[in-house]
Amino acid sequence: MSRTRLLLLGAAALPLAACGASDPASPGQGGGGVVVVPAPAPAPAPAPGVGPNTAEAAFATTTVSGVTVTVAEQIAVVNAGTNNVLTGTNPLNGVAPTGSALNVGAFDASTVNPFFTRTSYIGAVNPAGDTWFQGWTCNSSTLNLGPGNASCATGLSRSAAAPAASACPTGTTDAGTANNYRLCRLPAQVSGTLSLPRVDGVAYQLNGRVDVGQDRGTLGTGGAAATLTIAAGAIIVANPIDPAPDFLVVNRGSQINAVGTATQPIIFTSQQNLNPANNGDSSQGQWGGIVIAGRAPIANCSSGTNNADGTSTTCENIVEGTVTALYGGNAPTDSSGTMRYVQIRYSGLELTPGNELQGLTTAGAGSGTDISYIQVHNSSDDGVEVFGGRNSFRYMVVTGADDDGFDVDTGWRGLVQFLIVAQKLTGATTDSFATEIDSNGNEDALPRTYGQYANFTFIQTANAPAAIRLRGGADFGFYNGIVKSVAACANIVAGTEANGGKSTIRAANAGLQELGAPVFRSVFFACNGN
């Protein structure tokens, strides 16, 4: 996709796809004779790189275990909702809705869950001058969020002309200097309470894996809990010299309280990012990322099974990429702390094939965990991946992920409102989706994955099958969204026809904790570069 087309200039008015509209054409029933149809006049050639703009072209199909959710079935799912547009064009001016996207009546998501704020618009940004993303996010060629944001490659603001004095805050150790910063190294094991104040000229350093607390098990018993508190404006970097992967793990029963502000975000990044000459639009995978493990229910137990209420006291698993960090339990309201106004830059590592660290991983995090105003930039794997749990998110920005932007699976039952995902312009994997929704291949594992997105904007520039992949028997709700994609917009996949039909679109079944087919309300699709 060209840079010019990503700017999404112009708009065209479109009717809303009402229930039953845009049905796929079906073969006519002949009367036994041969009908000769004159050859149609040649259609005008589409603009370079722009594909067909039909309801059918909005969807991609994938066959798993001999089961295919057809294009017709996917259209029927979307048309069963309300106020959805399947043949939209040019819906964005930057990240704000424009053109015919302004005419789509917003759905009141607060009627679904009080977590959601009622809005009068679709997409993540209010066209009437919304600025929730200003100041604390960073800009790149992937997405420019406005003049109030610094460059992701260079925007580490400071006033000191030299590194801070050699006295590092209590609980950290002096690791020398780099690029005019004093490096204050975190311990490998955070015990008790460790506070990291903002000090001009100081960057806190992760040296290998850093654990906050010790695992306290599914019942909250076991190792000792700890709390890591990070002040607004603090910078945390990873050590590029140490051969061990650098990442932060908040273990079950412990907490992170990283609360920045709109003018002083907390920045987790690579040490290379301290030198503006070292990082650019293609930089990624320079450290591991952040893992938050909790004791809320999950579906992918390493042994045994869970139930719909997630009451198992033995169901747990190991967080991908960590080798030893455990997650899961029977505490749905568990709290792993608070993260607000935080940037996570240049993260993501593949330790072994299929075993990666993401920018931000939540695993079994409970609903008491507060995660909002977070940007993940240029992760070499997923931007955010959610493994089970009950935590929700607000005001999330994922830019330049090499794989999926926002990936949820294995029994996550949570909510997201105000979500922007913009993939990198070039170089992303061929299987990278703006969002991937899954159950790790176990179609009827309990608790069943059930998430709901409200006010989301997906800018799919990676040439993956689609912007949204929904599979694994997961339930889902999509409200007030804009999907702008160079490929198809959605790819609904089922892996089995057991228990009453194709797993991801079959009818509701309370005995299976099955809510029925996914729900789309007030979602605007502009697919295939249109």
Side-chain angles (χ1 to χ4, degrees):
M1 180 178 185
S2 70
R3 178 65 175 158
T4 301
R5 281 174 45 220
L6 183 63
L7 294 177
L8 312 178
L9 302 176
L14 292 171
L16 296 181
C19 181
S22 301
D23 287 333
S26 58
Q29 296 182 359
V34 177
V35 178
V36 178
V37 180
V50 176
N53 191 20
T54 64
E56 291 78 8
F59 299 93
T61 59
T62 301
T63 300
V64 174
S65 301
V67 180
T68 304
V69 181
T70 67
V71 168
E73 288 171 323
Q74 294 182 67
I75 290 175
V77 166
V78 175
N79 281 340
T82 54
N83 287 349
N84 299 309
V85 175
L86 288 175
T87 56
T89 59
N90 298 327
L92 295 172
N93 178 13
V95 290
T98 190
S100 54
L102 294 173
N103 300 325
V104 178
F107 173 70
D108 183 2
S110 68
T111 61
V112 174
N113 193 293
F115 171 87
F116 292 128
T117 299
R118 181 176 183 175
T119 65
S120 60
Y121 55 90
I122 66 171
V125 175
N126 188 338
D130 205 343
T131 59
W132 65 258
F133 48 85
Q134 288 288 345
W136 61 273
T137 57
C138 62
N139 289 332
S140 68
S141 66
T142 295
L143 188 66
N144 188 323
L145 288 162
N149 301 316
S151 163
C152 296
T154 62
L156 296 174
S157 63
R158 56 175 298 192
S159 59
S166 59
C168 284
T170 301
T172 67
T173 58
D174 192 336
T177 62
N179 302 112
N180 216 24
Y181 281 84
R182 172 71 53 190
L183 300 175
C184 295
R185 182 171 294 172
L186 272 65
Q189 179 76 55
V190 174
S191 302
T193 299
L194 176 61
S195 296
L196 305 180
R198 180 189 183 278
V199 179
D200 207 17
V202 162
Y204 297 100
Q205 187 190 67
L206 304 176
N207 186 56
R209 170 173 167 168
V210 173
D211 281 278
V212 179
Q214 299 169 325
D215 180 65
R216 288 187 57 76
T218 60
L219 297 177
T221 57
T227 300
L228 176 63
T229 298
I230 306 174
I235 297 172
I236 299 89
V237 299
N239 185 0
I241 299 173
D242 178 17
D246 303 311
F247 59 104
L248 178 70
V249 178
V250 181
N251 286 293
R252 288 186 296 188
S254 291
Q255 293 192 335
I256 182 171
N257 291 309
V259 181
T261 68
T263 57
Q264 286 195 317
I266 295 166
I267 299 176
F268 287 84
T269 189
S270 63
Q271 195 165 304
Q272 295 93 313
N273 195 200
L274 297 179
N275 183 347
N278 286 341
N279 278 34
D281 283 334
S282 63
S283 298
Q284 61 178 28
Q286 295 176 334
W287 65 292
I290 300 173
V291 175
I292 298 177
R295 297 172 296 186
I298 63 173
N300 59 327
C301 314
S302 57
S303 62
T305 58
N306 212 339
N307 58 27
D309 294 326
T311 60
S312 171
T313 59
T314 59
C315 179
E316 61 185 6
N317 213 322
I318 297 173
V319 183
E320 179 182 13
T322 67
V323 182
T324 60
L326 291 164
Y327 70 104
N330 68 342
T333 62
D334 192 35
S335 174
S336 296
T338 300
M339 291 183 68
R340 293 184 197 149
Y341 295 106
V342 174
Q343 290 180 29
I344 304 170
R345 303 181 183 178
Y346 306 115
S347 57
L349 289 176
E350 182 180 67
L351 304 180
T352 59
N355 186 29
E356 302 98 356
L357 289 165
Q358 336 297 326
L360 173 63
T361 301
T362 68
S367 61
T369 307
D370 180 355
I371 301 179
S372 54
Y373 297 97
I374 308 294
Q375 180 184 19
V376 180
H377 177 67
N378 275 28
S379 168
S380 68
D381 196 63
D382 298 336
V384 177
E385 185 156 16
V386 184
F387 294 97
R390 302 291 173 86
N391 61 306
S392 295
F393 303 82
R394 282 192 178 95
Y395 300 108
M396 303 292 292
V397 178
V398 180
T399 51
D402 196 47
D403 196 8
D404 306 317
F406 206 93
D407 187 343
V408 303
D409 46 25
T410 61
W412 175 68
R413 298 176 70 81
L415 309 160
V416 183
Q417 189 171 26
F418 309 113
L419 168 63
I420 298 172
V421 176
Q423 291 171 304
K424 60 173 58 177
L425 298 180
T426 59
T429 66
T430 57
D431 197 41
S432 56
F433 302 85
T435 189
E436 185 173 57
I437 297 147
D438 206 348
S439 63
N440 206 29
N442 196 339
E443 308 291 301
D444 288 317
L446 297 177
R448 185 176 301 282
T449 299
Y450 175 43
Q452 299 180 85
Y453 294 164
N455 294 96
F456 57 92
T457 297
F458 295 152
I459 304 173
Q460 174 81 18
T461 57
N463 195 22
I468 298 171
R469 168 170 275 180
L470 174 58
R471 63 181 177 179
D475 292 326
F476 230 81
F478 300 89
Y479 317 122
N480 300 331
I482 295 175
V483 182
K484 172 67 178 175
S485 177
V486 297
C489 284
N491 174 222
I492 300 176
V493 182
T496 180
E497 292 186 277
N499 295 320
K502 297 179 180 180
S503 57
T504 311
I505 63 168
R506 64 192 173 198
N509 182 336
L512 295 173
Q513 201 182 27
E514 169 67 76
L515 295 177
V519 175
F520 291 82
R521 301 191 187 281
S522 300
V523 179
F524 188 104
F525 294 101
C527 316
N528 300 298
N530 290 285

